Amino acid sequence: MLAISSITLMPVVLGRRFRIYIPAEFQILAILFVFAALFLGEIHRYYDRLWWWDIALHASAGLLLGIFGFLLVYVLNENKRAELSMRPRFIAFFAFLFSVAMSALWEIFEFAMDQIFGTNMQKPMLGDDSGLTDTMWDLIVNVIGALIISLLGWRYLVRGKRSFIEVWIAKFIDRNPRLFSRYDKHPPDED
């Protein structure tokens, strides 16, 4: 639990180290997610008491990871120093794949913890004691969450439709102007 709690603080620590502003909404969602997973899920046994608790948390993880992946590639695309020009479809696709990849790595972590340390992270579900059904549902809802964020992000980039992602992107850009400056310190020599 200490390791997961430390991971929750990682955006704050990295933000201070690299002078990058992380939107408060994202930090709050990450803290709420860890609270729901550890305190409510494990300590208060919501995973056992509510059949849908694990599914809801994995769907939320897909959304959060999709947002993070979207912001990551969006920053690279908009940063003039990076000299990248990615199409909205690629940015949305990257966000989707980032979320799915992180979700798959988490499921591998769960499997490894169960095999090596005898934990019970892959829970029996729907009559399947092996945990395979749990893993598959976790991946499915992660993919759904990632798809939702990717589509919202794509819609924002193509059509300028307002969503919470747009608000977070605007906050991120406003609070991190050096990431989006045209030149480091000196403009290039004009030919």
Side-chain angles (χ1 to χ4, degrees), residues 1 4-9 26-47 53 57 60 64:
M1 276 198 223
I4 293 175
S5 297
S6 299
I7 291 169
T8 304
L9 296 174
F26 193 76
Q27 292 179 33
I28 290 168
L29 286 175
I31 290 167
L32 287 174
F33 179 81
V34 171
F35 175 78
L38 294 178
F39 186 73
L40 297 176
E42 293 294 340
I43 295 171
H44 286 283
R45 312 214 29 96
Y46 277 30
Y47 289 119
W53 190 255
L57 286 177
S60 301
L64 288 170

Side-chain angles (χ1 to χ4, degrees), residues 61-78 84-103 105 142-143 145-154 157 165:
L63 293 168
L64 288 170
L65 289 168
I67 291 167
F68 182 74
F70 185 86
L71 284 174
L72 178 69
V73 75
Y74 182 83
V75 166
L76 288 174
N77 196 49
E78 294 299 312
L84 293 174
S85 180
M86 295 176 263
R87 294 178 180 259
R89 283 182 302 210
F90 178 80
I91 294 171
F93 188 60
F94 177 87
F96 174 77
L97 290 181
F98 179 84
S99 181
V100 171
M102 292 299 107
S103 300
L105 288 174
N142 272 301
V143 165
L147 184 62
I148 289 168
I149 289 299
S150 298
L151 291 174
L152 286 173
W154 173 82
L157 291 173
I165 293 176

